[in-house]
Amino acid sequence: DAFPAVRLARQVGAAGGTFPAVYNAANAVCVDAFHDGTIRFTDIVDTIEAVLSEHTGSSGLTVESVLDAERWARARTHERLAVRSV
């Protein structure tokens, strides 16, 4: 409970597929936003979890599907953070 990012990372690892790429990309965007002072530290895991909840996964695991998932996650995380700051 004290470290929700660890619980979430384990769930993502168990889900497999493109979910780890989404987790990683959303985390990177959130950490940058935190360093920029746009979001609080406590907003990081909530935002990652929200983006993951929208991800449908991929039917096949290829380099292309991982890169597509990463691009989608970065864009979606930016969108969520932009709405949050309005």
Side-chain angles (χ1 to χ4, degrees):
D1 290 338
F3 302 102
V6 173
R7 172 193 47 80
L8 188 57
R10 286 184 176 159
Q11 290 172 345
V12 165
T18 54
F19 284 93
V22 170
Y23 179 99
N24 188 57
N27 183 62
V29 172
C30 287
V31 169
D32 286 346
F34 169 69
H35 286 159
D36 292 343
T38 307
I39 64 172
R40 297 172 301 174
F41 181 77
T42 55
D43 295 328
I44 294 173
V45 173
D46 292 342
T47 304
I48 296 168
E49 196 162 29
V51 171
L52 281 165
S53 73
E54 296 178 29
H55 183 54
T56 57
S58 177
S59 59
L61 189 58
T62 64
V63 171
E64 305 262 327
S65 67
V66 170
L67 293 175
D68 287 345
E70 181 185 19
R71 279 189 289 274
W72 173 85
R74 287 180 183 277
R76 186 63 189 119
T77 304
H78 281 293
E79 289 169 5
R80 290 189 72 82
L81 295 178
V83 168
R84 175 177 238 149
S85 67
V86 173

